Amino acid sequence: MDLTTLLDETAPTISAPSDTTLRRARAALDTQVRVSQLHVATARRSRRRRTGLVALVSVAAAGALVVAPTVGLGGHAPQDSAQAAAVLVAAGAAAAGQPDTVDAPFWHVDLEFAYAGKEPLRTQLWIDHDGIARVQNEELQAEPRAVPGDDGVYTSSFAGSSLDDGRTTDWAGIAALPTDPAALEALLRARIGQDRGPTPDVELWSVVTGLLSGAPATPALRAALWEVAAAVPGVELVGTTTDHAGRTGTAVELDQTGIGWYRERLILDPADGRLLEQVAFDASGAVDHWSTYLEQGPAQSAPDIDPPLCGPGSGVSC
Amino acid sequence: MSTDEPPDDELLARLRLHPDAIGLLFERHARAVHRFLARRTGPQAADDLLAEVFVAATTARERVHAHPSGSALPWLYGIARNVVRAHLRRRAPTPGWPPDDHMDWAAVDDRLDALGRRDELRRALAALTPDERDVLLLVAWDGLTPAEAGSVLGISGDAARSRLARARRRAQAALDSAPRKDISWT
């Protein structure tokens, strides 16, 4: 047989990928683009220190620009761990009264992220039940667009918190987490294992704060997460302080500067268990960056997604 | 592609400082990359690997070099080829087919059986080195020019043309030889 004929006859006939396949792939790609754009913006502005990358990576893991690990907001000397635990357990009890996620089509997170000495970057996320987030980002909107048809509202894949191997955690996955604090801690520690993060305790802290800062967690899960946070060795009470939005809250800290990370501070509202702010201090005690959670909760609507840049639905052929 | 849209090589040049340009390349080439993946891994795995290719392309954008043809496809296929290799290395080899970390032959066996061409194709491809198989199939099944296939494989266009000519000669000679009942690479 002629080789050309054989190859022609055996050339695979492949069906086109489904719209769902393309949508999921595009969502994952958009997440990577968001992170890459932040790296570009960071490089352009000569933002200091490579350690800031830790924040960007954590942010990406939480779905887009959200989670920077936290550390103290300067000023107060940390007090003992028992007091910190008591504050966090109380926050957990208060969090049980937060609005439930049931029946809401979206989980909305409105935050500002800033490096010390820089203007805050406002970002909003609307995360649907499939774990797909619509993202609005002031910085990205302000960037000159390399391609037409984009007003700054994107779809991207919300990666939940990197509970185990970085797989996307959708609402169902988060809802499946136990709400008993001991069972939740055991599960999270089992998923984290011994090899992730600088230490298992620091990684547990990172996962818990990630879920508290950007995940569509039910009030019961949120309450359990605060209790798990209270059990992390080394967490200390700072006391009453004010976040960058001017709200008064109670601050706790976990000092990770001994392993080259930050001293992370969480500011929470003891009245309702809301996470108000995360602040990261460097080893010298200076504020490095922070995330202020202006609003977080269920939402009934979200901005429309941009049409595709080209192809079906865009009016522009590729 | 409409005339007011930037061509691939312009988008590739923009990528380093404007990573969102990958979005237009995705809209333009996702289906072709999916076909490339599906031919080598089957449609189901291709669904899973499609995002990996474009995410990897975004992270690798600082090392991109546009092909002289202007098309981004050779670059994307090269990345897809690496993704396929990483995927297939996690799987056991397919009995009866050559050891190959660029093609999941089990995924294409059923189709070849239906065509009644499996033994012939095996015979032809068995005569080739893995590099020769790559360039032959990139041209025959993926529609690349020899120069574009060379870009995927990281060799010059001349080297790709030479390798393709050699592959075709050897494969045709294998087809012309007396058929054997059993072809095995093991």
Side-chain angles (χ1 to χ4, degrees), chain A residues 1-7 9, chain B residues 117 120 171-172 175-176:
Chain A
M1 168 174 249
D2 174 67
L3 176 66
T4 301
T5 304
L6 175 64
L7 290 172
E9 288 185 358
Chain B
R117 298 289 189 221
E120 285 173 294
Q172 186 63 61
L175 286 174
D176 293 341

Side-chain angles (χ1 to χ4, degrees), chain A residues 1-4 6-19 21-22 24-26 28-29 32-34 36-37 39-40 44 143-148 150 308-310 312 316-318, chain B residues 1-2 5 11 14 16-24 26-28 30-31 34-35 38-39 47 50-51 54-55 58-59 61 111-112 115 117 120-121 124 136-137 140-141 168 171-172 175-176:
Chain A
M1 168 174 249
D2 174 67
L3 176 66
T4 301
L6 175 64
L7 290 172
D8 285 346
E9 288 185 358
T10 56
T13 303
I14 304 295
S15 300
S18 67
D19 289 343
T21 295
L22 291 172
R24 287 187 181 280
R26 180 61 194 262
L29 173 62
Q32 180 60 46
V33 169
R34 300 282 88 73
S36 297
Q37 284 177 309
H39 282 290
V40 170
R44 282 176 173 167
E143 287 286 325
R145 309 308 304 163
V147 288
D150 197 339
L309 295 174
C310 64
V316 178
S317 68
C318 294
Chain B
M1 184 173 71
S2 68
E5 287 178 357
L11 289 173
R14 290 180 184 178
R16 184 171 178 271
L17 292 178
H18 298 279
D20 53 348
I22 194 75
L24 191 50
F26 178 91
E27 300 299 335
R28 199 172 283 171
R31 289 163 183 80
H34 185 271
R35 283 195 298 274
R39 282 170 187 150
D47 287 353
L50 180 61
F54 282 90
V55 167
T58 307
T59 59
R61 68 189 188 282
R111 181 179 51 80
L112 295 174
L115 290 168
R117 298 289 189 221
E120 285 173 294
L121 185 63
L136 181 68
L137 295 180
W141 283 5
R168 294 191 64 87
Q172 186 63 61
L175 286 174
D176 293 341

Side-chain angles (χ1 to χ4, degrees), chain B:
Chain B
M1 184 173 71
S2 68
T3 54
D4 58 347
E5 287 178 357
D8 280 7
D9 52 358
E10 187 176 327
L11 289 173
L12 291 175
R14 290 180 184 178
L15 268 180
R16 184 171 178 271
L17 292 178
H18 298 279
D20 53 348
I22 194 75
L24 191 50
L25 292 173
F26 178 91
E27 300 299 335
R28 199 172 283 171
H29 298 305
R31 289 163 183 80
V33 171
H34 185 271
R35 283 195 298 274
F36 180 96
L37 294 167
R39 282 170 187 150
R40 288 158 176 78
T41 65
Q44 189 169 355
D47 287 353
D48 296 333
L49 298 176
L50 180 61
E52 282 189 38
V53 173
F54 282 90
V55 167
T58 307
T59 59
R61 68 189 188 282
E62 295 193 11
R63 300 189 298 276
V64 64
H65 296 287
H67 186 265
S69 70
S71 172
L73 266 179
W75 177 61
L76 291 170
Y77 283 160
I79 292 170
R81 189 166 172 268
N82 291 335
V83 168
V84 168
R85 181 168 53 195
H87 170 72
L88 294 181
R89 280 181 173 171
R90 298 191 291 265
R91 301 172 55 122
T94 304
W97 284 100
D100 193 338
D101 56 7
H102 292 117
M103 183 76 79
D104 180 2
W105 290 105
V108 297
D109 250 359
D110 289 346
R111 181 179 51 80
L112 295 174
D113 277 345
L115 290 168
R117 298 289 189 221
R118 185 177 66 176
D119 288 347
E120 285 173 294
L121 185 63
R122 281 184 177 186
R123 186 180 311 122
L125 298 182
L128 309 181
T129 66
D131 288 344
E132 290 168 345
R133 276 200 302 276
D134 276 346
V135 73
L136 181 68
L137 295 180
L138 281 169
V139 173
W141 283 5
D142 294 303
L144 271 63
T145 66
E148 288 171 337
S151 181
V152 172
L153 299 172
I155 59 177
S156 70
D158 286 343
R161 277 185 284 274
S162 172
R163 187 180 293 179
L164 176 63
R166 186 169 63 248
R168 294 191 64 87
R169 276 198 310 273
R170 295 176 62 173
Q172 186 63 61
L175 286 174
D176 293 341
S177 66
R180 290 175 288 171
K181 288 185 177 179
D182 180 36
I183 304 295
S184 174
W185 285 266
T186 56

Side-chain angles (χ1 to χ4, degrees), chain A residues 99-110:
Chain A
D100 206 341
T101 58
V102 175
D103 295 334
F106 300 97
W107 182 258
H108 178 225
V109 183
D110 185 354

Side-chain angles (χ1 to χ4, degrees), chain A residues 24-84:
Chain A
R24 287 187 181 280
R26 180 61 194 262
L29 173 62
D30 284 348
T31 294
Q32 180 60 46
V33 169
R34 300 282 88 73
V35 174
S36 297
Q37 284 177 309
L38 277 181
H39 282 290
V40 170
T42 300
R44 282 176 173 167
R45 294 170 190 186
S46 301
R47 281 176 179 157
R48 60 203 166 91
R49 86 185 65 246
R50 286 192 172 276
T51 46
L53 202 59
V54 172
L56 295 178
V57 171
S58 299
V59 157
L65 337 177
V66 188
V67 180
T70 324
V71 173
L73 258 183
H76 310 281
Q79 301 170 33
D80 70 60
S81 295
Q83 288 178 297

